[in-house]
Amino acid sequence: MKFFIDTANLDQIKEAKDLGILDGVTTNPSLMAKEGISGTDNILNHYRAICEIVDGDVSAEVISTDFAGMIEEGMRLADLAPNIVVKVPMIKDGIKAINYFTEHSVPTNCTLVFSAGQAILAAKAGATYLSPFVGRVDDINWDGMALIREIAEIYAIQGFDTQILAASIRNSKHIVDAAKSGADVVTCPLSAILGLLKHPLTDIGLEQFLADHAKANK
């Protein structure tokens, strides 16, 4: 399973890369705004800066919701760097745009996915990645990981090439559950990735090893 970091923060992206586990980055308008990035030129330059750090795919989201606007924006984003993936919302014109981008060899990430039916449409249109929002599904008392498993089963049966990118990850357990459920990719905050390092027995064991070493080398 690939690890993407879900942020526009350059320091966090660098830290994830230094861990040696970073496969890509996902961003969205909310994450850009969180970093104080606004204005078209500043946003485009920030995407360039991210792509200079990351070797893997970088999802850059369109703002337009009409077909023509998404195509214009998406092609401009795709021209920024060879590893840009155009992020498109799961709406009717979004599916049309994904089909267009597929025909023009532009990789895409279909975002805001909440059902298996939507996942089928995105795959049929040729989406490179599909982003089911597991955390938001959990928020309405449904099972986000059950959605990942359902999509993974359908994709396996039908032979779809679209990669399942588990999004809206809230914690480290979500990452483990996504791996068990058949996700090809997980995108998450750095805190959730770092949480995988933690276990009380690791802390206790290390403390004991260091104490024993200190006693033996007095």
mmCIF file of all heavy atoms in Angstrom, residues 98-127:
data_model
loop_
_atom_site.group_PDB
_atom_site.id
_atom_site.type_symbol
_atom_site.label_atom_id
_atom_site.label_comp_id
_atom_site.label_asym_id
_atom_site.label_seq_id
_atom_site.Cartn_x
_atom_site.Cartn_y
_atom_site.Cartn_z
ATOM 1 N N ILE A 98 -13.047 13.522 -16.341
ATOM 2 C CA ILE A 98 -12.127 12.396 -16.148
ATOM 3 C C ILE A 98 -11.961 11.615 -17.449
ATOM 4 O O ILE A 98 -10.853 11.224 -17.824
ATOM 5 C CB ILE A 98 -12.621 11.479 -15.013
ATOM 6 C CG1 ILE A 98 -12.439 12.173 -13.662
ATOM 7 C CG2 ILE A 98 -11.877 10.139 -15.017
ATOM 8 C CD1 ILE A 98 -13.100 11.462 -12.502
ATOM 9 N N ASN A 99 -13.072 11.407 -18.151
ATOM 10 C CA ASN A 99 -13.005 10.711 -19.439
ATOM 11 C C ASN A 99 -12.143 11.489 -20.433
ATOM 12 O O ASN A 99 -11.309 10.914 -21.148
ATOM 13 C CB ASN A 99 -14.410 10.521 -19.999
ATOM 14 C CG ASN A 99 -14.406 9.805 -21.334
ATOM 15 O OD1 ASN A 99 -14.037 8.642 -21.435
ATOM 16 N ND2 ASN A 99 -14.806 10.508 -22.385
ATOM 17 N N TYR A 100 -12.321 12.808 -20.466
ATOM 18 C CA TYR A 100 -11.518 13.649 -21.359
ATOM 19 C C TYR A 100 -10.038 13.555 -21.001
ATOM 20 O O TYR A 100 -9.178 13.369 -21.885
ATOM 21 C CB TYR A 100 -11.992 15.101 -21.263
ATOM 22 C CG TYR A 100 -11.177 16.069 -22.089
ATOM 23 C CD1 TYR A 100 -11.529 16.371 -23.396
ATOM 24 C CD2 TYR A 100 -10.037 16.679 -21.549
ATOM 25 C CE1 TYR A 100 -10.778 17.260 -24.160
ATOM 26 C CE2 TYR A 100 -9.271 17.554 -22.305
ATOM 27 C CZ TYR A 100 -9.645 17.846 -23.606
ATOM 28 O OH TYR A 100 -8.887 18.718 -24.360
ATOM 29 N N PHE A 101 -9.732 13.700 -19.714
ATOM 30 C CA PHE A 101 -8.338 13.638 -19.285
ATOM 31 C C PHE A 101 -7.726 12.270 -19.602
ATOM 32 O O PHE A 101 -6.567 12.179 -20.018
ATOM 33 C CB PHE A 101 -8.229 13.935 -17.788
ATOM 34 C CG PHE A 101 -8.483 15.368 -17.419
ATOM 35 C CD1 PHE A 101 -9.356 15.684 -16.382
ATOM 36 C CD2 PHE A 101 -7.855 16.396 -18.094
ATOM 37 C CE1 PHE A 101 -9.593 17.006 -16.029
ATOM 38 C CE2 PHE A 101 -8.080 17.731 -17.757
ATOM 39 C CZ PHE A 101 -8.951 18.028 -16.717
ATOM 40 N N THR A 102 -8.506 11.215 -19.412
ATOM 41 C CA THR A 102 -8.021 9.867 -19.723
ATOM 42 C C THR A 102 -7.652 9.752 -21.192
ATOM 43 O O THR A 102 -6.601 9.204 -21.544
ATOM 44 C CB THR A 102 -9.095 8.820 -19.367
ATOM 45 O OG1 THR A 102 -9.391 8.900 -17.964
ATOM 46 C CG2 THR A 102 -8.604 7.415 -19.687
ATOM 47 N N GLU A 103 -8.505 10.288 -22.059
ATOM 48 C CA GLU A 103 -8.248 10.238 -23.496
ATOM 49 C C GLU A 103 -7.018 11.054 -23.896
ATOM 50 O O GLU A 103 -6.404 10.796 -24.937
ATOM 51 C CB GLU A 103 -9.474 10.737 -24.260
ATOM 52 C CG GLU A 103 -10.668 9.782 -24.179
ATOM 53 C CD GLU A 103 -11.894 10.332 -24.885
ATOM 54 O OE1 GLU A 103 -11.886 11.534 -25.241
ATOM 55 O OE2 GLU A 103 -12.849 9.557 -25.087
ATOM 56 N N HIS A 104 -6.655 12.033 -23.046
ATOM 57 C CA HIS A 104 -5.492 12.876 -23.328
ATOM 58 C C HIS A 104 -4.302 12.532 -22.421
ATOM 59 O O HIS A 104 -3.379 13.346 -22.261
ATOM 60 C CB HIS A 104 -5.872 14.360 -23.189
ATOM 61 C CG HIS A 104 -6.780 14.841 -24.290
ATOM 62 N ND1 HIS A 104 -8.147 14.570 -24.287
ATOM 63 C CD2 HIS A 104 -6.538 15.547 -25.426
ATOM 64 C CE1 HIS A 104 -8.695 15.095 -25.369
ATOM 65 N NE2 HIS A 104 -7.739 15.694 -26.071
ATOM 66 N N SER A 105 -4.338 11.332 -21.826
ATOM 67 C CA SER A 105 -3.223 10.794 -21.033
ATOM 68 C C SER A 105 -2.860 11.668 -19.829
ATOM 69 O O SER A 105 -1.685 11.756 -19.441
ATOM 70 C CB SER A 105 -1.994 10.593 -21.919
ATOM 71 O OG SER A 105 -2.282 9.702 -22.980
ATOM 72 N N VAL A 106 -3.869 12.307 -19.232
ATOM 73 C CA VAL A 106 -3.661 13.082 -18.010
ATOM 74 C C VAL A 106 -4.198 12.273 -16.833
ATOM 75 O O VAL A 106 -5.389 11.938 -16.792
ATOM 76 C CB VAL A 106 -4.391 14.443 -18.082
ATOM 77 C CG1 VAL A 106 -4.279 15.187 -16.753
ATOM 78 C CG2 VAL A 106 -3.831 15.285 -19.220
ATOM 79 N N PRO A 107 -3.355 11.905 -15.864
ATOM 80 C CA PRO A 107 -3.830 11.110 -14.731
ATOM 81 C C PRO A 107 -4.789 11.905 -13.851
ATOM 82 O O PRO A 107 -4.662 13.133 -13.722
ATOM 83 C CB PRO A 107 -2.551 10.748 -13.979
ATOM 84 C CG PRO A 107 -1.552 11.770 -14.380
ATOM 85 C CD PRO A 107 -1.910 12.179 -15.779
ATOM 86 N N THR A 108 -5.749 11.204 -13.251
ATOM 87 C CA THR A 108 -6.786 11.865 -12.458
ATOM 88 C C THR A 108 -7.012 11.172 -11.120
ATOM 89 O O THR A 108 -6.718 9.988 -10.951
ATOM 90 C CB THR A 108 -8.120 11.888 -13.219
ATOM 91 O OG1 THR A 108 -8.457 10.548 -13.617
ATOM 92 C CG2 THR A 108 -8.042 12.788 -14.436
ATOM 93 N N ASN A 109 -7.569 11.938 -10.201
ATOM 94 C CA ASN A 109 -7.984 11.439 -8.897
ATOM 95 C C ASN A 109 -9.427 11.879 -8.693
ATOM 96 O O ASN A 109 -9.700 13.076 -8.562
ATOM 97 C CB ASN A 109 -7.071 12.008 -7.806
ATOM 98 C CG ASN A 109 -7.461 11.575 -6.402
ATOM 99 O OD1 ASN A 109 -8.487 10.945 -6.196
ATOM 100 N ND2 ASN A 109 -6.652 11.945 -5.424
ATOM 101 N N CYS A 110 -10.352 10.938 -8.694
ATOM 102 C CA CYS A 110 -11.769 11.253 -8.489
ATOM 103 C C CYS A 110 -12.036 11.359 -6.992
ATOM 104 O O CYS A 110 -11.905 10.368 -6.254
ATOM 105 C CB CYS A 110 -12.651 10.188 -9.122
ATOM 106 S SG CYS A 110 -14.415 10.569 -9.017
ATOM 107 N N THR A 111 -12.402 12.543 -6.535
ATOM 108 C CA THR A 111 -12.532 12.805 -5.109
ATOM 109 C C THR A 111 -14.001 12.957 -4.680
ATOM 110 O O THR A 111 -14.896 13.037 -5.516
ATOM 111 C CB THR A 111 -11.727 14.062 -4.718
ATOM 112 O OG1 THR A 111 -11.665 14.178 -3.300
ATOM 113 C CG2 THR A 111 -12.331 15.316 -5.321
ATOM 114 N N LEU A 112 -14.213 12.979 -3.363
ATOM 115 C CA LEU A 112 -15.545 13.088 -2.772
ATOM 116 C C LEU A 112 -16.429 11.905 -3.174
ATOM 117 O O LEU A 112 -17.574 12.069 -3.591
ATOM 118 C CB LEU A 112 -16.208 14.412 -3.143
ATOM 119 C CG LEU A 112 -15.567 15.658 -2.521
ATOM 120 C CD1 LEU A 112 -16.144 16.928 -3.140
ATOM 121 C CD2 LEU A 112 -15.754 15.683 -1.009
ATOM 122 N N VAL A 113 -15.882 10.704 -3.000
ATOM 123 C CA VAL A 113 -16.594 9.465 -3.331
ATOM 124 C C VAL A 113 -17.142 8.852 -2.048
ATOM 125 O O VAL A 113 -16.423 8.699 -1.053
ATOM 126 C CB VAL A 113 -15.642 8.477 -4.047
ATOM 127 C CG1 VAL A 113 -16.302 7.123 -4.217
ATOM 128 C CG2 VAL A 113 -15.216 9.049 -5.388
ATOM 129 N N PHE A 114 -18.425 8.459 -2.086
ATOM 130 C CA PHE A 114 -19.072 7.927 -0.890
ATOM 131 C C PHE A 114 -19.890 6.667 -1.150
ATOM 132 O O PHE A 114 -20.562 6.181 -0.243
ATOM 133 C CB PHE A 114 -19.972 9.002 -0.266
ATOM 134 C CG PHE A 114 -19.221 10.199 0.227
ATOM 135 C CD1 PHE A 114 -19.094 11.329 -0.565
ATOM 136 C CD2 PHE A 114 -18.606 10.193 1.477
ATOM 137 C CE1 PHE A 114 -18.387 12.437 -0.117
ATOM 138 C CE2 PHE A 114 -17.899 11.290 1.935
ATOM 139 C CZ PHE A 114 -17.788 12.409 1.133
ATOM 140 N N SER A 115 -19.846 6.133 -2.381
ATOM 141 C CA SER A 115 -20.625 4.932 -2.662
ATOM 142 C C SER A 115 -19.923 4.070 -3.702
ATOM 143 O O SER A 115 -19.094 4.558 -4.486
ATOM 144 C CB SER A 115 -22.022 5.305 -3.167
ATOM 145 O OG SER A 115 -21.968 5.762 -4.513
ATOM 146 N N ALA A 116 -20.295 2.791 -3.712
ATOM 147 C CA ALA A 116 -19.733 1.864 -4.701
ATOM 148 C C ALA A 116 -20.182 2.233 -6.115
ATOM 149 O O ALA A 116 -19.430 2.064 -7.083
ATOM 150 C CB ALA A 116 -20.155 0.437 -4.368
ATOM 151 N N GLY A 117 -21.404 2.742 -6.242
ATOM 152 C CA GLY A 117 -21.890 3.163 -7.551
ATOM 153 C C GLY A 117 -21.033 4.276 -8.132
ATOM 154 O O GLY A 117 -20.687 4.264 -9.325
ATOM 155 N N GLN A 118 -20.684 5.245 -7.313
ATOM 156 C CA GLN A 118 -19.802 6.310 -7.763
ATOM 157 C C GLN A 118 -18.439 5.744 -8.170
ATOM 158 O O GLN A 118 -17.835 6.186 -9.155
ATOM 159 C CB GLN A 118 -19.624 7.346 -6.651
ATOM 160 C CG GLN A 118 -20.884 8.145 -6.350
ATOM 161 C CD GLN A 118 -20.683 9.088 -5.165
ATOM 162 O OE1 GLN A 118 -19.942 8.795 -4.234
ATOM 163 N NE2 GLN A 118 -21.346 10.240 -5.224
ATOM 164 N N ALA A 119 -17.967 4.764 -7.405
ATOM 165 C CA ALA A 119 -16.669 4.140 -7.701
ATOM 166 C C ALA A 119 -16.673 3.454 -9.061
ATOM 167 O O ALA A 119 -15.674 3.484 -9.798
ATOM 168 C CB ALA A 119 -16.315 3.141 -6.603
ATOM 169 N N ILE A 120 -17.777 2.829 -9.412
ATOM 170 C CA ILE A 120 -17.889 2.168 -10.716
ATOM 171 C C ILE A 120 -17.829 3.197 -11.841
ATOM 172 O O ILE A 120 -17.114 3.007 -12.838
ATOM 173 C CB ILE A 120 -19.196 1.349 -10.795
ATOM 174 C CG1 ILE A 120 -19.141 0.163 -9.823
ATOM 175 C CG2 ILE A 120 -19.442 0.859 -12.224
ATOM 176 C CD1 ILE A 120 -20.470 -0.550 -9.661
ATOM 177 N N LEU A 121 -18.570 4.302 -11.702
ATOM 178 C CA LEU A 121 -18.553 5.344 -12.732
ATOM 179 C C LEU A 121 -17.151 5.908 -12.935
ATOM 180 O O LEU A 121 -16.711 6.099 -14.072
ATOM 181 C CB LEU A 121 -19.516 6.469 -12.350
ATOM 182 C CG LEU A 121 -21.016 6.184 -12.476
ATOM 183 C CD1 LEU A 121 -21.810 7.384 -11.988
ATOM 184 C CD2 LEU A 121 -21.386 5.852 -13.920
ATOM 185 N N ALA A 122 -16.450 6.173 -11.840
ATOM 186 C CA ALA A 122 -15.111 6.744 -11.932
ATOM 187 C C ALA A 122 -14.167 5.792 -12.650
ATOM 188 O O ALA A 122 -13.360 6.202 -13.494
ATOM 189 C CB ALA A 122 -14.578 7.079 -10.542
ATOM 190 N N ALA A 123 -14.256 4.508 -12.320
ATOM 191 C CA ALA A 123 -13.398 3.514 -12.962
ATOM 192 C C ALA A 123 -13.715 3.388 -14.447
ATOM 193 O O ALA A 123 -12.812 3.278 -15.283
ATOM 194 C CB ALA A 123 -13.549 2.167 -12.261
ATOM 195 N N LYS A 124 -14.992 3.403 -14.775
ATOM 196 C CA LYS A 124 -15.393 3.318 -16.185
ATOM 197 C C LYS A 124 -14.862 4.515 -16.988
ATOM 198 O O LYS A 124 -14.520 4.383 -18.163
ATOM 199 C CB LYS A 124 -16.914 3.252 -16.304
ATOM 200 C CG LYS A 124 -17.515 1.915 -15.883
ATOM 201 C CD LYS A 124 -17.190 0.819 -16.887
ATOM 202 C CE LYS A 124 -17.933 1.036 -18.209
ATOM 203 N NZ LYS A 124 -17.626 -0.054 -19.193
ATOM 204 N N ALA A 125 -14.817 5.678 -16.338
ATOM 205 C CA ALA A 125 -14.327 6.882 -17.010
ATOM 206 C C ALA A 125 -12.804 6.883 -17.118
ATOM 207 O O ALA A 125 -12.245 7.711 -17.836
ATOM 208 C CB ALA A 125 -14.798 8.129 -16.275
ATOM 209 N N GLY A 126 -12.153 5.977 -16.385
ATOM 210 C CA GLY A 126 -10.706 5.851 -16.495
ATOM 211 C C GLY A 126 -9.893 6.545 -15.426
ATOM 212 O O GLY A 126 -8.699 6.806 -15.625
ATOM 213 N N ALA A 127 -10.517 6.862 -14.287
ATOM 214 C CA ALA A 127 -9.787 7.533 -13.206
ATOM 215 C C ALA A 127 -8.553 6.729 -12.799
ATOM 216 O O ALA A 127 -8.614 5.503 -12.677
ATOM 217 C CB ALA A 127 -10.697 7.735 -12.004
#
